[in-house]
PDB file of all heavy atoms in Angstrom:
ATOM      1  N   LEU X  46      15.098  24.574  21.707  1.00  0.00           N
ATOM      2  CA  LEU X  46      14.793  25.982  21.427  1.00  0.00           C
ATOM      3  C   LEU X  46      16.062  26.800  21.222  1.00  0.00           C
ATOM      4  O   LEU X  46      16.141  27.634  20.319  1.00  0.00           O
ATOM      5  CB  LEU X  46      13.980  26.580  22.578  1.00  0.00           C
ATOM      6  CG  LEU X  46      12.467  26.401  22.539  1.00  0.00           C
ATOM      7  CD1 LEU X  46      11.837  26.876  23.842  1.00  0.00           C
ATOM      8  CD2 LEU X  46      11.843  27.125  21.358  1.00  0.00           C
ATOM      9  N   GLY X  47      17.068  26.553  22.073  1.00  0.00           N
ATOM     10  CA  GLY X  47      18.300  27.320  21.964  1.00  0.00           C
ATOM     11  C   GLY X  47      19.190  26.847  20.836  1.00  0.00           C
ATOM     12  O   GLY X  47      19.571  27.633  19.956  1.00  0.00           O
ATOM     13  N   ALA X  48      19.532  25.566  20.833  1.00  0.00           N
ATOM     14  CA  ALA X  48      20.492  25.048  19.854  1.00  0.00           C
ATOM     15  C   ALA X  48      19.954  25.055  18.430  1.00  0.00           C
ATOM     16  O   ALA X  48      20.700  25.297  17.473  1.00  0.00           O
ATOM     17  CB  ALA X  48      20.913  23.632  20.252  1.00  0.00           C
ATOM     18  N   GLN X  49      18.664  24.783  18.262  1.00  0.00           N
ATOM     19  CA  GLN X  49      18.087  24.685  16.918  1.00  0.00           C
ATOM     20  C   GLN X  49      17.527  26.006  16.396  1.00  0.00           C
ATOM     21  O   GLN X  49      17.508  26.233  15.186  1.00  0.00           O
ATOM     22  CB  GLN X  49      16.976  23.624  16.909  1.00  0.00           C
ATOM     23  CG  GLN X  49      17.451  22.230  17.264  1.00  0.00           C
ATOM     24  CD  GLN X  49      18.387  21.651  16.218  1.00  0.00           C
ATOM     25  OE1 GLN X  49      18.140  21.769  15.027  1.00  0.00           O
ATOM     26  NE2 GLN X  49      19.473  21.038  16.679  1.00  0.00           N
ATOM     27  N   PHE X  50      17.042  26.856  17.312  1.00  0.00           N
ATOM     28  CA  PHE X  50      16.329  28.064  16.864  1.00  0.00           C
ATOM     29  C   PHE X  50      16.856  29.355  17.474  1.00  0.00           C
ATOM     30  O   PHE X  50      16.333  30.427  17.162  1.00  0.00           O
ATOM     31  CB  PHE X  50      14.832  27.926  17.185  1.00  0.00           C
ATOM     32  CG  PHE X  50      14.160  26.784  16.482  1.00  0.00           C
ATOM     33  CD1 PHE X  50      13.976  25.565  17.121  1.00  0.00           C
ATOM     34  CD2 PHE X  50      13.730  26.916  15.174  1.00  0.00           C
ATOM     35  CE1 PHE X  50      13.359  24.503  16.486  1.00  0.00           C
ATOM     36  CE2 PHE X  50      13.116  25.866  14.515  1.00  0.00           C
ATOM     37  CZ  PHE X  50      12.927  24.647  15.160  1.00  0.00           C
ATOM     38  N   GLN X  51      17.862  29.259  18.351  1.00  0.00           N
ATOM     39  CA  GLN X  51      18.397  30.442  19.032  1.00  0.00           C
ATOM     40  C   GLN X  51      17.295  31.230  19.739  1.00  0.00           C
ATOM     41  O   GLN X  51      17.258  32.468  19.736  1.00  0.00           O
ATOM     42  CB  GLN X  51      19.142  31.367  18.041  1.00  0.00           C
ATOM     43  CG  GLN X  51      20.414  30.758  17.459  1.00  0.00           C
ATOM     44  CD  GLN X  51      20.119  29.669  16.433  1.00  0.00           C
ATOM     45  OE1 GLN X  51      19.380  29.914  15.470  1.00  0.00           O
ATOM     46  NE2 GLN X  51      20.691  28.497  16.608  1.00  0.00           N
ATOM     47  N   ARG X  52      16.376  30.493  20.364  1.00  0.00           N
ATOM     48  CA  ARG X  52      15.237  31.134  21.040  1.00  0.00           C
ATOM     49  C   ARG X  52      15.113  30.673  22.492  1.00  0.00           C
ATOM     50  O   ARG X  52      14.010  30.633  23.038  1.00  0.00           O
ATOM     51  CB  ARG X  52      13.933  30.811  20.294  1.00  0.00           C
ATOM     52  CG  ARG X  52      13.796  31.418  18.916  1.00  0.00           C
ATOM     53  CD  ARG X  52      13.694  32.919  18.942  1.00  0.00           C
ATOM     54  NE  ARG X  52      12.642  33.387  19.809  1.00  0.00           N
ATOM     55  CZ  ARG X  52      12.378  34.678  20.035  1.00  0.00           C
ATOM     56  NH1 ARG X  52      13.123  35.604  19.450  1.00  0.00           N
ATOM     57  NH2 ARG X  52      11.399  35.038  20.836  1.00  0.00           N
ATOM     58  N   ALA X  53      16.197  30.331  23.126  1.00  0.00           N
ATOM     59  CA  ALA X  53      16.131  29.881  24.527  1.00  0.00           C
ATOM     60  C   ALA X  53      15.671  31.005  25.435  1.00  0.00           C
ATOM     61  O   ALA X  53      15.931  32.189  25.182  1.00  0.00           O
ATOM     62  CB  ALA X  53      17.500  29.376  24.977  1.00  0.00           C
ATOM     63  N   TYR X  54      14.982  30.630  26.497  1.00  0.00           N
ATOM     64  CA  TYR X  54      14.473  31.579  27.482  1.00  0.00           C
ATOM     65  C   TYR X  54      15.427  31.637  28.679  1.00  0.00           C
ATOM     66  O   TYR X  54      15.928  30.597  29.126  1.00  0.00           O
ATOM     67  CB  TYR X  54      13.083  31.165  27.962  1.00  0.00           C
ATOM     68  CG  TYR X  54      11.994  31.371  26.938  1.00  0.00           C
ATOM     69  CD1 TYR X  54      11.790  30.445  25.911  1.00  0.00           C
ATOM     70  CD2 TYR X  54      11.170  32.494  26.972  1.00  0.00           C
ATOM     71  CE1 TYR X  54      10.799  30.633  24.962  1.00  0.00           C
ATOM     72  CE2 TYR X  54      10.170  32.687  26.034  1.00  0.00           C
ATOM     73  CZ  TYR X  54       9.992  31.756  25.028  1.00  0.00           C
ATOM     74  OH  TYR X  54       9.012  31.943  24.090  1.00  0.00           O
ATOM     75  N   PRO X  55      15.641  32.826  29.240  1.00  0.00           N
ATOM     76  CA  PRO X  55      16.526  32.925  30.407  1.00  0.00           C
ATOM     77  C   PRO X  55      15.902  32.434  31.707  1.00  0.00           C
ATOM     78  O   PRO X  55      16.613  32.157  32.666  1.00  0.00           O
ATOM     79  CB  PRO X  55      16.841  34.421  30.483  1.00  0.00           C
ATOM     80  CG  PRO X  55      15.681  35.086  29.826  1.00  0.00           C
ATOM     81  CD  PRO X  55      15.228  34.152  28.747  1.00  0.00           C
ATOM     82  N   HIS X  56      14.568  32.328  31.731  1.00  0.00           N
ATOM     83  CA  HIS X  56      13.883  31.943  32.972  1.00  0.00           C
ATOM     84  C   HIS X  56      12.916  30.797  32.684  1.00  0.00           C
ATOM     85  O   HIS X  56      11.985  30.936  31.879  1.00  0.00           O
ATOM     86  CB  HIS X  56      13.141  33.135  33.565  1.00  0.00           C
ATOM     87  CG  HIS X  56      14.023  34.340  33.749  1.00  0.00           C
ATOM     88  ND1 HIS X  56      14.949  34.443  34.752  1.00  0.00           N
ATOM     89  CD2 HIS X  56      14.135  35.477  33.007  1.00  0.00           C
ATOM     90  CE1 HIS X  56      15.589  35.592  34.654  1.00  0.00           C
ATOM     91  NE2 HIS X  56      15.114  36.233  33.603  1.00  0.00           N
ATOM     92  N   VAL X  57      13.155  29.655  33.339  1.00  0.00           N
ATOM     93  CA  VAL X  57      12.370  28.432  33.128  1.00  0.00           C
ATOM     94  C   VAL X  57      12.016  27.857  34.492  1.00  0.00           C
ATOM     95  O   VAL X  57      12.891  27.641  35.332  1.00  0.00           O
ATOM     96  CB  VAL X  57      13.174  27.388  32.324  1.00  0.00           C
ATOM     97  CG1 VAL X  57      12.361  26.107  32.142  1.00  0.00           C
ATOM     98  CG2 VAL X  57      13.607  27.956  30.975  1.00  0.00           C
ATOM     99  N   MET X  58      10.727  27.605  34.699  1.00  0.00           N
ATOM    100  CA  MET X  58      10.325  27.052  35.992  1.00  0.00           C
ATOM    101  C   MET X  58       9.166  26.079  35.811  1.00  0.00           C
ATOM    102  O   MET X  58       8.285  26.271  34.964  1.00  0.00           O
ATOM    103  CB  MET X  58       9.924  28.171  36.961  1.00  0.00           C
ATOM    104  CG  MET X  58       9.543  27.694  38.351  1.00  0.00           C
ATOM    105  SD  MET X  58      10.779  26.631  39.137  1.00  0.00           S
ATOM    106  CE  MET X  58      12.121  27.776  39.381  1.00  0.00           C
ATOM    107  N   LEU X  59       9.205  25.024  36.598  1.00  0.00           N
ATOM    108  CA  LEU X  59       8.122  24.047  36.659  1.00  0.00           C
ATOM    109  C   LEU X  59       8.144  23.421  38.047  1.00  0.00           C
ATOM    110  O   LEU X  59       9.203  23.019  38.532  1.00  0.00           O
ATOM    111  CB  LEU X  59       8.297  22.972  35.579  1.00  0.00           C
ATOM    112  CG  LEU X  59       7.204  21.897  35.467  1.00  0.00           C
ATOM    113  CD1 LEU X  59       7.095  21.398  34.024  1.00  0.00           C
ATOM    114  CD2 LEU X  59       7.468  20.714  36.399  1.00  0.00           C
ATOM    115  N   VAL X  60       6.986  23.368  38.681  1.00  0.00           N
ATOM    116  CA  VAL X  60       6.843  22.711  39.976  1.00  0.00           C
ATOM    117  C   VAL X  60       6.066  21.418  39.753  1.00  0.00           C
ATOM    118  O   VAL X  60       4.955  21.444  39.220  1.00  0.00           O
ATOM    119  CB  VAL X  60       6.100  23.604  40.983  1.00  0.00           C
ATOM    120  CG1 VAL X  60       5.929  22.880  42.312  1.00  0.00           C
ATOM    121  CG2 VAL X  60       6.846  24.916  41.188  1.00  0.00           C
ATOM    122  N   ASP X  61       6.668  20.286  40.120  1.00  0.00           N
ATOM    123  CA  ASP X  61       5.969  19.014  39.957  1.00  0.00           C
ATOM    124  C   ASP X  61       4.644  19.047  40.708  1.00  0.00           C
ATOM    125  O   ASP X  61       4.570  19.477  41.871  1.00  0.00           O
ATOM    126  CB  ASP X  61       6.822  17.860  40.496  1.00  0.00           C
ATOM    127  CG  ASP X  61       7.959  17.500  39.560  1.00  0.00           C
ATOM    128  OD1 ASP X  61       7.828  17.769  38.360  1.00  0.00           O
ATOM    129  OD2 ASP X  61       8.964  16.954  40.034  1.00  0.00           O
ATOM    130  N   GLY X  62       3.587  18.580  40.041  1.00  0.00           N
ATOM    131  CA  GLY X  62       2.255  18.631  40.622  1.00  0.00           C
ATOM    132  C   GLY X  62       1.760  17.283  41.102  1.00  0.00           C
ATOM    133  O   GLY X  62       2.545  16.414  41.496  1.00  0.00           O
ATOM    134  N   ASN X  63       0.458  17.093  41.016  1.00  0.00           N
ATOM    135  CA  ASN X  63      -0.191  15.915  41.584  1.00  0.00           C
ATOM    136  C   ASN X  63      -0.293  14.741  40.622  1.00  0.00           C
ATOM    137  O   ASN X  63      -0.757  13.672  41.015  1.00  0.00           O
ATOM    138  CB  ASN X  63      -1.591  16.288  42.074  1.00  0.00           C
ATOM    139  CG  ASN X  63      -1.544  17.231  43.256  1.00  0.00           C
ATOM    140  OD1 ASN X  63      -0.720  17.077  44.147  1.00  0.00           O
ATOM    141  ND2 ASN X  63      -2.429  18.227  43.268  1.00  0.00           N
ATOM    142  N   ASP X  64       0.112  14.917  39.378  1.00  0.00           N
ATOM    143  CA  ASP X  64      -0.001  13.862  38.375  1.00  0.00           C
ATOM    144  C   ASP X  64       1.311  13.100  38.292  1.00  0.00           C
ATOM    145  O   ASP X  64       2.339  13.667  37.913  1.00  0.00           O
ATOM    146  CB  ASP X  64      -0.358  14.467  37.017  1.00  0.00           C
ATOM    147  CG  ASP X  64      -0.856  13.435  36.031  1.00  0.00           C
ATOM    148  OD1 ASP X  64      -0.292  12.320  35.997  1.00  0.00           O
ATOM    149  OD2 ASP X  64      -1.808  13.735  35.286  1.00  0.00           O
ATOM    150  N   ASP X  65       1.298  11.816  38.648  1.00  0.00           N
ATOM    151  CA  ASP X  65       2.538  11.042  38.653  1.00  0.00           C
ATOM    152  C   ASP X  65       2.884  10.470  37.286  1.00  0.00           C
ATOM    153  O   ASP X  65       3.805   9.660  37.158  1.00  0.00           O
ATOM    154  CB  ASP X  65       2.483   9.916  39.697  1.00  0.00           C
ATOM    155  CG  ASP X  65       1.347   8.935  39.458  1.00  0.00           C
ATOM    156  OD1 ASP X  65       0.631   9.061  38.437  1.00  0.00           O
ATOM    157  OD2 ASP X  65       1.167   8.025  40.301  1.00  0.00           O
ATOM    158  N   ARG X  66       2.197  10.901  36.235  1.00  0.00           N
ATOM    159  CA  ARG X  66       2.492  10.429  34.887  1.00  0.00           C
ATOM    160  C   ARG X  66       3.482  11.331  34.159  1.00  0.00           C
ATOM    161  O   ARG X  66       3.808  11.091  33.002  1.00  0.00           O
ATOM    162  CB  ARG X  66       1.196  10.338  34.067  1.00  0.00           C
ATOM    163  CG  ARG X  66       0.176   9.361  34.631  1.00  0.00           C
ATOM    164  CD  ARG X  66      -1.143   9.450  33.884  1.00  0.00           C
ATOM    165  NE  ARG X  66      -1.744  10.771  33.989  1.00  0.00           N
ATOM    166  CZ  ARG X  66      -2.840  11.153  33.334  1.00  0.00           C
ATOM    167  NH1 ARG X  66      -3.442  10.303  32.518  1.00  0.00           N
ATOM    168  NH2 ARG X  66      -3.319  12.366  33.496  1.00  0.00           N
ATOM    169  N   GLY X  67       3.964  12.406  34.814  1.00  0.00           N
ATOM    170  CA  GLY X  67       4.861  13.333  34.145  1.00  0.00           C
ATOM    171  C   GLY X  67       4.120  14.279  33.239  1.00  0.00           C
ATOM    172  O   GLY X  67       4.499  14.502  32.086  1.00  0.00           O
ATOM    173  N   ILE X  68       3.014  14.834  33.755  1.00  0.00           N
ATOM    174  CA  ILE X  68       2.199  15.786  32.988  1.00  0.00           C
ATOM    175  C   ILE X  68       2.012  17.011  33.884  1.00  0.00           C
ATOM    176  O   ILE X  68       1.127  17.053  34.730  1.00  0.00           O
ATOM    177  CB  ILE X  68       0.838  15.175  32.609  1.00  0.00           C
ATOM    178  CG1 ILE X  68       1.048  13.969  31.706  1.00  0.00           C
ATOM    179  CG2 ILE X  68      -0.040  16.194  31.907  1.00  0.00           C
ATOM    180  CD1 ILE X  68      -0.236  13.244  31.349  1.00  0.00           C
ATOM    181  N   ASP X  69       2.883  17.994  33.708  1.00  0.00           N
ATOM    182  CA  ASP X  69       2.882  19.163  34.583  1.00  0.00           C
ATOM    183  C   ASP X  69       2.743  20.449  33.780  1.00  0.00           C
ATOM    184  O   ASP X  69       2.812  20.434  32.551  1.00  0.00           O
ATOM    185  CB  ASP X  69       4.181  19.193  35.402  1.00  0.00           C
ATOM    186  CG  ASP X  69       4.202  18.118  36.485  1.00  0.00           C
ATOM    187  OD1 ASP X  69       3.293  18.111  37.320  1.00  0.00           O
ATOM    188  OD2 ASP X  69       5.125  17.279  36.476  1.00  0.00           O
ATOM    189  N   VAL X  70       2.571  21.566  34.492  1.00  0.00           N
ATOM    190  CA  VAL X  70       2.496  22.879  33.857  1.00  0.00           C
ATOM    191  C   VAL X  70       3.700  23.707  34.306  1.00  0.00           C
ATOM    192  O   VAL X  70       4.048  23.730  35.482  1.00  0.00           O
ATOM    193  CB  VAL X  70       1.174  23.608  34.188  1.00  0.00           C
ATOM    194  CG1 VAL X  70       0.001  22.913  33.523  1.00  0.00           C
ATOM    195  CG2 VAL X  70       0.939  23.700  35.693  1.00  0.00           C
ATOM    196  N   GLY X  71       4.342  24.363  33.334  1.00  0.00           N
ATOM    197  CA  GLY X  71       5.502  25.177  33.637  1.00  0.00           C
ATOM    198  C   GLY X  71       5.423  26.513  32.932  1.00  0.00           C
ATOM    199  O   GLY X  71       4.406  26.856  32.313  1.00  0.00           O
ATOM    200  N   ILE X  72       6.513  27.261  33.005  1.00  0.00           N
ATOM    201  CA  ILE X  72       6.531  28.582  32.385  1.00  0.00           C
ATOM    202  C   ILE X  72       7.907  28.862  31.813  1.00  0.00           C
ATOM    203  O   ILE X  72       8.936  28.470  32.387  1.00  0.00           O
ATOM    204  CB  ILE X  72       6.122  29.672  33.406  1.00  0.00           C
ATOM    205  CG1 ILE X  72       5.832  30.995  32.711  1.00  0.00           C
ATOM    206  CG2 ILE X  72       7.186  29.831  34.489  1.00  0.00           C
ATOM    207  CD1 ILE X  72       5.108  31.998  33.599  1.00  0.00           C
ATOM    208  N   LEU X  73       7.925  29.491  30.641  1.00  0.00           N
ATOM    209  CA  LEU X  73       9.141  29.993  30.011  1.00  0.00           C
ATOM    210  C   LEU X  73       8.976  31.502  29.906  1.00  0.00           C
ATOM    211  O   LEU X  73       7.959  31.977  29.387  1.00  0.00           O
ATOM    212  CB  LEU X  73       9.327  29.387  28.619  1.00  0.00           C
ATOM    213  CG  LEU X  73       9.413  27.858  28.541  1.00  0.00           C
ATOM    214  CD1 LEU X  73       9.338  27.394  27.096  1.00  0.00           C
ATOM    215  CD2 LEU X  73      10.711  27.366  29.171  1.00  0.00           C
ATOM    216  N   SER X  74       9.973  32.255  30.374  1.00  0.00           N
ATOM    217  CA  SER X  74       9.803  33.712  30.442  1.00  0.00           C
ATOM    218  C   SER X  74      11.074  34.442  30.036  1.00  0.00           C
ATOM    219  O   SER X  74      12.187  34.015  30.367  1.00  0.00           O
ATOM    220  CB  SER X  74       9.414  34.123  31.870  1.00  0.00           C
ATOM    221  OG  SER X  74       9.345  35.539  31.988  1.00  0.00           O
ATOM    222  N   ARG X  75      10.911  35.544  29.334  1.00  0.00           N
ATOM    223  CA  ARG X  75      12.034  36.419  28.997  1.00  0.00           C
ATOM    224  C   ARG X  75      12.343  37.378  30.145  1.00  0.00           C
ATOM    225  O   ARG X  75      13.369  38.061  30.118  1.00  0.00           O
ATOM    226  CB  ARG X  75      11.727  37.216  27.732  1.00  0.00           C
ATOM    227  CG  ARG X  75      11.378  36.338  26.555  1.00  0.00           C
ATOM    228  CD  ARG X  75      12.368  36.473  25.412  1.00  0.00           C
ATOM    229  NE  ARG X  75      12.149  35.394  24.448  1.00  0.00           N
ATOM    230  CZ  ARG X  75      12.919  34.346  24.318  1.00  0.00           C
ATOM    231  NH1 ARG X  75      13.979  34.212  25.079  1.00  0.00           N
ATOM    232  NH2 ARG X  75      12.655  33.409  23.434  1.00  0.00           N
ATOM    233  N   PHE X  76      11.463  37.410  31.136  1.00  0.00           N
ATOM    234  CA  PHE X  76      11.629  38.353  32.231  1.00  0.00           C
ATOM    235  C   PHE X  76      11.709  37.602  33.554  1.00  0.00           C
ATOM    236  O   PHE X  76      11.193  36.491  33.677  1.00  0.00           O
ATOM    237  CB  PHE X  76      10.470  39.349  32.232  1.00  0.00           C
ATOM    238  CG  PHE X  76      10.196  39.949  30.874  1.00  0.00           C
ATOM    239  CD1 PHE X  76       9.016  39.686  30.202  1.00  0.00           C
ATOM    240  CD2 PHE X  76      11.154  40.738  30.248  1.00  0.00           C
ATOM    241  CE1 PHE X  76       8.769  40.209  28.944  1.00  0.00           C
ATOM    242  CE2 PHE X  76      10.920  41.261  28.982  1.00  0.00           C
ATOM    243  CZ  PHE X  76       9.731  41.001  28.326  1.00  0.00           C
ATOM    244  N   PRO X  77      12.335  38.196  34.570  1.00  0.00           N
ATOM    245  CA  PRO X  77      12.563  37.485  35.831  1.00  0.00           C
ATOM    246  C   PRO X  77      11.267  37.063  36.526  1.00  0.00           C
ATOM    247  O   PRO X  77      10.266  37.775  36.495  1.00  0.00           O
ATOM    248  CB  PRO X  77      13.330  38.505  36.680  1.00  0.00           C
ATOM    249  CG  PRO X  77      13.908  39.478  35.695  1.00  0.00           C
ATOM    250  CD  PRO X  77      12.936  39.545  34.564  1.00  0.00           C
ATOM    251  N   ILE X  78      11.344  35.897  37.161  1.00  0.00           N
ATOM    252  CA  ILE X  78      10.252  35.415  38.002  1.00  0.00           C
ATOM    253  C   ILE X  78      10.548  35.878  39.420  1.00  0.00           C
ATOM    254  O   ILE X  78      11.521  35.451  40.046  1.00  0.00           O
ATOM    255  CB  ILE X  78      10.149  33.881  37.938  1.00  0.00           C
ATOM    256  CG1 ILE X  78       9.865  33.445  36.495  1.00  0.00           C
ATOM    257  CG2 ILE X  78       9.055  33.374  38.881  1.00  0.00           C
ATOM    258  CD1 ILE X  78       9.968  31.941  36.280  1.00  0.00           C
ATOM    259  N   ASP X  79       9.719  36.770  39.925  1.00  0.00           N
ATOM    260  CA  ASP X  79       9.975  37.401  41.225  1.00  0.00           C
ATOM    261  C   ASP X  79       9.462  36.564  42.384  1.00  0.00           C
ATOM    262  O   ASP X  79      10.025  36.589  43.477  1.00  0.00           O
ATOM    263  CB  ASP X  79       9.312  38.783  41.258  1.00  0.00           C
ATOM    264  CG  ASP X  79       9.623  39.546  42.523  1.00  0.00           C
ATOM    265  OD1 ASP X  79      10.816  39.672  42.862  1.00  0.00           O
ATOM    266  OD2 ASP X  79       8.676  39.999  43.197  1.00  0.00           O
ATOM    267  N   ALA X  80       8.389  35.818  42.160  1.00  0.00           N
ATOM    268  CA  ALA X  80       7.800  35.022  43.238  1.00  0.00           C
ATOM    269  C   ALA X  80       7.035  33.857  42.636  1.00  0.00           C
ATOM    270  O   ALA X  80       6.595  33.902  41.485  1.00  0.00           O
ATOM    271  CB  ALA X  80       6.875  35.877  44.106  1.00  0.00           C
ATOM    272  N   LEU X  81       6.896  32.809  43.429  1.00  0.00           N
ATOM    273  CA  LEU X  81       6.195  31.597  43.001  1.00  0.00           C
ATOM    274  C   LEU X  81       5.432  31.033  44.188  1.00  0.00           C
ATOM    275  O   LEU X  81       5.966  30.944  45.297  1.00  0.00           O
ATOM    276  CB  LEU X  81       7.198  30.561  42.485  1.00  0.00           C
ATOM    277  CG  LEU X  81       6.739  29.107  42.350  1.00  0.00           C
ATOM    278  CD1 LEU X  81       5.603  29.003  41.342  1.00  0.00           C
ATOM    279  CD2 LEU X  81       7.906  28.220  41.942  1.00  0.00           C
ATOM    280  N   ARG X  82       4.188  30.645  43.944  1.00  0.00           N
ATOM    281  CA  ARG X  82       3.373  30.003  44.978  1.00  0.00           C
ATOM    282  C   ARG X  82       2.652  28.810  44.371  1.00  0.00           C
ATOM    283  O   ARG X  82       2.047  28.925  43.306  1.00  0.00           O
ATOM    284  CB  ARG X  82       2.354  30.989  45.548  1.00  0.00           C
ATOM    285  CG  ARG X  82       1.510  30.414  46.673  1.00  0.00           C
ATOM    286  CD  ARG X  82       0.478  31.425  47.126  1.00  0.00           C
ATOM    287  NE  ARG X  82      -0.326  30.929  48.232  1.00  0.00           N
ATOM    288  CZ  ARG X  82      -1.409  31.550  48.702  1.00  0.00           C
ATOM    289  NH1 ARG X  82      -1.791  32.701  48.172  1.00  0.00           N
ATOM    290  NH2 ARG X  82      -2.091  31.039  49.701  1.00  0.00           N
ATOM    291  N   SER X  83       2.743  27.663  45.026  1.00  0.00           N
ATOM    292  CA  SER X  83       2.105  26.436  44.552  1.00  0.00           C
ATOM    293  C   SER X  83       0.787  26.205  45.277  1.00  0.00           C
ATOM    294  O   SER X  83       0.606  26.640  46.419  1.00  0.00           O
ATOM    295  CB  SER X  83       3.044  25.249  44.779  1.00  0.00           C
ATOM    296  OG  SER X  83       2.386  24.037  44.498  1.00  0.00           O
ATOM    297  N   HIS X  84      -0.120  25.493  44.593  1.00  0.00           N
ATOM    298  CA  HIS X  84      -1.411  25.128  45.191  1.00  0.00           C
ATOM    299  C   HIS X  84      -1.663  23.619  45.066  1.00  0.00           C
ATOM    300  O   HIS X  84      -2.811  23.186  44.959  1.00  0.00           O
ATOM    301  CB  HIS X  84      -2.545  25.911  44.528  1.00  0.00           C
ATOM    302  CG  HIS X  84      -2.554  27.363  44.892  1.00  0.00           C
ATOM    303  ND1 HIS X  84      -3.138  27.846  46.035  1.00  0.00           N
ATOM    304  CD2 HIS X  84      -2.011  28.441  44.266  1.00  0.00           C
ATOM    305  CE1 HIS X  84      -2.972  29.165  46.099  1.00  0.00           C
ATOM    306  NE2 HIS X  84      -2.294  29.550  45.035  1.00  0.00           N
ATOM    307  N   VAL X  85      -0.583  22.827  45.096  1.00  0.00           N
ATOM    308  CA  VAL X  85      -0.760  21.386  44.951  1.00  0.00           C
ATOM    309  C   VAL X  85      -1.563  20.775  46.095  1.00  0.00           C
ATOM    310  O   VAL X  85      -2.197  19.723  45.926  1.00  0.00           O
ATOM    311  CB  VAL X  85       0.595  20.647  44.847  1.00  0.00           C
ATOM    312  CG1 VAL X  85       1.281  20.942  43.531  1.00  0.00           C
ATOM    313  CG2 VAL X  85       1.495  20.991  46.029  1.00  0.00           C
TER     314      VAL X  85
END
């Protein structure tokens, strides 16, 4: 995203979940992440 399109995000987060195949949900944000809570 950054090197090819100059569209990198300043805030990137992903919490590994319950799937051991490497299939998770994350977030890319232009604005700060103030808090995070997991429900794994």
Side-chain angles (χ1 to χ4, degrees):
L46 274 172
Q49 299 293 316
F50 298 97
Q51 294 73 54
R52 292 293 306 178
Y54 288 81
H56 307 285
V57 178
M58 182 53 67
L59 183 150
V60 178
D61 284 335
N63 293 319
D64 196 320
D65 60 4
R66 298 173 299 174
I68 297 176
D69 288 303
V70 291
I72 193 166
L73 301 170
S74 176
R75 304 243 167 255
F76 312 114
I78 299 171
D79 185 52
L81 164 62
R82 183 183 182 189
S83 172
H84 289 276
V85 290

